[in-house]
Amino acid sequence: MAWNVRTFEQADTDAVIELWTEAGLTRPWNDPRLDIERKLRVQPELFLVATDPEGVTVLGSVMAGYDGHRGWLYYLATAASHRGRGVARELVAEAERLLLALGCPKVQLMVREGNEGVLGFYDALGYERFAVANTGKRLIADA
Ligand SMILES: CC(C)(COP(=O)(O)OP(=O)(O)OC[C@H]1O[C@@H](n2cnc3c(N)ncnc32)[C@H](O)[C@@H]1OP(=O)(O)O)[C@@H](O)C(=O)NCCC(=O)NCCS
């Protein structure tokens, strides 16, 4: 195996933000640095990165959380240079293992409009599609 999966460390911050940017996961209304700071305060052990075997170069990420009802996945990405080798599959499997260890009965995620092509990836991992309308309200205006 040409990569390792481990918990995110502060020193990974810039590399992870670069990964998210290249993967098209950043949005003007989500400051990735603040997203990371917040995650480091809540279940930081569920924020994972895939790295080269030396544990230095970041190749992938997933940010998971358990709210007491559902487990959630965010910021799943694999570096373009390492896609199609099972990196994301392993990141998701490790996140699922950690969620299950917390007693989490179901894991789910949101796919942004325009990124439906990624649903085939989740199909391959045994995720079942369901239709739902999402709505949300910002409680802290970051920008
Ligand atoms: C989606 C993404 C994370 C997949 O990463 P990856 O490391 O290439 O995925 P894996 O190699 O682990 O693929 C696992 C399986 O899914 C399949 N797969 C991967 N992407 C797929 C896609 N877009 N459609 C259908 N199947 C796909 C692979 O063929 C593989 O199947 P196999 O194990 O039977 O061969 C990566 O393409 C990415 O970073 N995309 C941009 C960011 C993004 O959209 N993230 C998801 C936000 S919801």
Side-chain angles (χ1 to χ4, degrees):
M1 193 170 62
W3 66 85
N4 286 323
V5 171
R6 62 161 168 78
T7 308
F8 171 92
E9 294 168 5
Q10 198 103 40
D12 301 319
T13 301
D14 288 344
V16 163
I17 292 174
E18 199 178 318
L19 170 74
W20 292 352
T21 306
E22 282 175 3
L25 296 182
T26 52
R27 287 296 178 275
W29 55 88
N30 281 337
D31 179 338
R33 233 163 258 283
L34 279 176
D35 284 358
I36 290 172
E37 272 175 33
R38 289 179 174 125
K39 185 60 193 168
L40 294 180
R41 292 198 290 268
V42 181
Q43 298 177 328
E45 69 284 1
L46 298 184
F47 186 10
L48 306 175
V49 290
T51 69
D52 65 343
E54 287 72 43
V56 180
T57 306
V58 172
L59 306 175
S61 73
V62 67
M63 186 189 277
Y66 178 41
D67 60 20
H69 180 60
R70 294 288 181 252
W72 287 91
L73 301 181
Y74 301 95
Y75 283 125
L76 178 71
T78 298
S81 56
H82 284 71
R83 287 187 189 159
R85 303 183 194 180
V87 172
R89 179 187 281 279
E90 191 180 336
L91 280 165
V92 171
E94 181 61 6
E96 288 174 0
R97 194 186 66 77
L98 294 170
L99 288 168
L100 184 60
L102 291 171
C104 172
K106 183 179 180 186
V107 59
Q108 56 193 32
L109 60 113
M110 293 177 280
V111 172
R112 285 204 180 103
E113 223 173 78
N115 198 22
E116 290 82 2
V118 78
L119 285 167
F121 163 79
Y122 294 107
D123 292 343
L125 267 62
Y127 282 62
E128 287 176 24
R129 303 183 190 195
F130 58 95
V132 63
N134 290 300
T135 182
K137 178 182 176 184
R138 202 164 247 295
L139 300 178
I140 301 176
D142 289 334

